[in-house]
Amino acid sequence: MASSLTKDSASSGEKTFFGHPRGLATLFMTEMWERFSYYGMRALLPLYLIAPGGLDMKPATATAIYSVYLSLVYLLAMPGGWFGDRVWGPRKTVAIAGGVIMLGHLTLALPSEGTFFAGLGLVAIGSGLLKSNISTMVGHLYDGPEDPRRDGGFTIFYMGINMGAFAAPLVIGTIGENVNWHLGFALAAVGMGLGVVQFLLGTKHLDEKSLIVPKPLSKDERASTLRKSMIWLGIAAVFYIGTVVTGVYTLNWLLVPITIAGLVIPVMVLTRIKRDKELSEAEQSKMSGYIWFFVAAAIFWMIYDQGGSTLAIFAESSAENSVFGWDFPVSWYQSVNPVLIMALAPVFAAFWLALNRRGKEPSTIVKFSSGLVLVGASFFVFLMPLTIAGDGHKAAAMWLVAIYFIQTVAELTLSPVGLSVTTKMAPAKYASQMMGVWFLAVTAGDCTTGLLSLAGVELNGTGVVAAEATLAVAAGIAIFMYRGKVKKLMGEVR
């Protein structure tokens, strides 16, 4: 990216990255390569799980594993942020996380079912550690929230995410599907390795705050945390060794507890915050309003994240994956969303700004409800290719592209609003934790999908798809109808 570095005439001759601190180039490239490895592996995951040359599993089991994996990534973002705040500091945490992710992809590349699941676990742990801390370091590059370059810096950073996500299925997906599955996973490890090298070489350009542990554990806290961790690890080890020795172990012994935890933990976290007597009356009211957004977001992500599992598995068996007679790998569908994000995000930003100038920008509640209705509409569209396939024909690829397009518009309507409203409605005491709470909505949505799959529900069935679509649309309408009540709970937040 050296060619993108320019002289900042307003500074003392220091090189910048598109007018931003040079450290942004380091974090941009690190995140781009990490997303390249993550989305490449994710595009292959459900296809490998059901492939005769892969693990040859049933679609329902593959969907459950995929959903549990996604939920773990977001669930572990909270302890990942905790490690950055209290143990290693953001910079050290990201460096270690990159190494763990690379090791995970290399483990996935080994041709064994046992090592495959170990690899998934390592990638989930590493992604959770990296996710919260690298964004924190982007913030460190600027002079507080009022720095006029800050929003632009995060915009450039998120472009790196989508560049990596766009390229990954085209490269890793093609190699994995057409050459060798494990070579595809190994290529993901190479991508993460490039990210780690980029990060280590560019750390000199990062802010010194990224080296600091904001609130280090005391000696007693460290000993207590280590003791409790070892106790729980020992209990888990004894339990699972016991199931293996007695011959009762199945994959469900691993998947079911994780899916249940992914549903219970968000409820426990929200309940703990809501019941905190130290919160003011206004903060309590905002948390009551936030629960509406949280539940709706969980429904949204339950449908949206099936784009990589339910839709991909449908495409593998029942879609005509070709355009103008040119065949393409199924994993390429996963590049549709990021390229649309890059194309449409600036359009949406300009559109909201234009409406704001005229005093007609929709409220947070209206945007959120619109996102839910749209994601529900995408599954109503899904009913068409399902019907075509049910008649024994292959559905055209453009049906799936249309579904991804509607879901992308829904994401741009809801996701940025969700992030914003999370920071605005966070009680002061939990300001640094609330972003992790937002990620728990993703966890809850994905775990719901996983639990349905484990219960034997056919997620590609027209009845289930119609029910999910109806649920999302109904949730969106409910939020809109009760917008007065929600707005009152939100207080001054708009």
Side-chain angles (χ1 to χ4, degrees):
M1 297 299 292
S3 61
S4 298
L5 299 176
T6 62
K7 291 285 185 179
D8 183 358
S9 58
S11 69
S12 57
E14 284 190 15
K15 289 182 177 180
T16 65
F17 181 66
F18 295 113
H20 292 265
R22 285 192 69 182
L24 184 61
T26 297
L27 299 176
F28 174 96
M29 292 294 288
T30 303
E31 182 72 352
M32 186 188 76
W33 283 116
E34 188 273 331
R35 293 290 90 180
F36 175 85
S37 69
Y38 172 79
Y39 280 100
M41 183 277 286
R42 203 176 90 162
L44 287 182
L45 180 56
L47 304 177
Y48 172 73
L49 290 173
I50 64 173
L55 296 186
D56 199 17
M57 293 180 171
K58 294 179 180 178
T61 305
T63 300
I65 293 170
Y66 179 89
S67 301
V68 167
Y69 166 69
L70 290 192
S71 70
L72 269 179
V73 169
Y74 287 95
L75 181 63
L76 293 171
M78 282 194 79
W82 181 87
F83 263 87
D85 285 342
R86 309 215 61 189
V87 183
W88 291 328
R91 190 184 300 189
K92 184 176 180 180
T93 303
V94 167
I96 292 172
V100 172
I101 293 170
M102 183 170 64
L103 178 61
H105 287 303
L106 288 173
T107 307
L108 284 171
L110 300 174
S112 161
E113 183 173 330
T115 54
F116 179 81
F117 288 108
L120 275 185
L122 288 170
V123 175
I125 291 168
S127 297
L129 287 169
L130 187 141
K131 197 169 188 65
S132 301
N133 290 285
I134 196 165
S135 296
T136 298
M137 286 195 292
V138 174
H140 287 161
L141 298 173
Y142 300 95
D143 299 324
E146 304 308 317
D147 190 321
R149 301 170 301 167
R150 186 183 179 93
D151 286 351
F154 272 99
T155 299
I156 293 171
F157 177 70
Y158 287 120
M159 287 297 286
I161 292 175
N162 286 291
M163 286 174 63
F166 168 69
L170 304 181
V171 179
I172 294 174
T174 302
I175 298 297
E177 285 191 69
N178 294 342
V179 181
N180 181 275
W181 294 108
H182 299 288
L183 185 58
F185 293 128
L187 194 57
V190 172
M192 189 65 254
L194 290 171
V196 171
V197 170
Q198 164 70 25
F199 182 76
L200 295 176
L201 291 176
T203 51
K204 60 186 176 183
H205 301 302
L206 301 177
D207 192 278
E208 292 299 312
K209 289 196 290 286
S210 64
L211 285 169
I212 298 170
V213 181
K215 191 182 177 183
L217 292 172
S218 66
K219 186 177 180 180
D220 289 343
E221 286 176 321
R222 189 179 291 270
S224 174
T225 301
L226 182 62
R227 183 174 63 255
K228 290 177 182 177
S229 300
M230 294 306 295
I231 289 173
W232 281 109
L233 186 62
I235 291 172
V238 169
F239 175 79
Y240 282 105
I241 290 172
T243 60
V244 171
V245 170
T246 56
V248 299
Y249 177 81
T250 65
L251 193 56
N252 282 357
W253 281 99
L254 181 63
L255 297 179
V256 172
I258 295 175
T259 54
I260 292 174
L263 293 170
V264 171
I265 290 173
V267 174
M268 290 175 61
V269 170
L270 285 171
T271 302
R272 178 173 62 86
I273 296 175
K274 187 71 180 67
R275 289 184 175 178
D276 191 332
K277 298 187 183 300
E278 293 182 13
L279 300 188
S280 67
E281 186 177 338
E283 288 176 325
Q284 286 281 2
S285 177
K286 288 176 184 176
M287 281 306 301
S288 296
Y290 184 75
I291 289 172
W292 280 75
F293 292 108
F294 185 93
V295 173
I299 295 171
F300 176 89
W301 295 114
M302 176 186 72
I303 294 176
Y304 180 89
D305 277 345
Q306 288 184 61
S309 55
T310 304
L311 287 176
I313 291 171
F314 172 82
E316 171 66 23
S317 62
S318 305
E320 190 69 49
N321 304 309
S322 63
V323 177
F324 303 119
W326 175 69
D327 296 333
F328 58 86
V330 174
S331 55
W332 282 24
Y333 284 111
Q334 303 310 309
S335 287
V336 174
N337 171 258
V339 76
L340 288 174
I341 289 285
M342 289 188 285
L344 295 177
V347 176
F348 268 73
F351 180 62
W352 297 137
L353 187 59
L355 289 179
N356 182 267
R357 286 171 179 162
R358 298 177 185 177
K360 296 182 178 180
E361 183 180 4
S363 67
T364 294
I365 299 170
V366 172
K367 289 179 183 177
F368 214 89
S369 61
S370 299
L372 274 168
V373 171
L374 282 168
V375 83
S378 75
F379 260 35
F380 278 126
V381 173
F382 187 23
L383 292 173
M384 294 300 295
L386 283 173
T387 302
I388 293 169
D391 292 336
H393 303 289
K394 293 279 188 177
M398 293 311 295
W399 280 114
L400 293 171
V401 172
I403 295 168
Y404 287 120
F405 174 80
I406 297 170
Q407 291 187 348
T408 300
V409 174
E411 180 188 3
L412 288 168
T413 305
L414 180 142
S415 187
V417 174
L419 291 168
S420 176
V421 81
T422 296
T423 58
K424 289 177 181 177
M425 296 176 70
K429 181 178 178 181
Y430 297 98
S432 62
Q433 298 179 40
M434 282 299 287
M435 197 53 68
V437 174
W438 170 252
F439 289 145
L440 288 180
V442 187
T443 297
D446 287 329
C447 281
T448 301
T449 302
L451 208 56
L452 289 171
S453 299
L454 291 171
V457 175
E458 179 53 65
L459 293 176
N460 267 333
T462 54
V464 176
V465 170
E468 290 184 81
T470 302
L471 175 63
V473 171
I477 293 173
I479 288 182
F480 182 78
M481 290 180 63
Y482 287 90
R483 63 190 181 281
K485 178 180 180 180
V486 178
K487 188 180 292 185
K488 185 178 180 180
L489 291 170
M490 293 170 69
E492 79 285 356
V493 175
R494 292 292 176 267

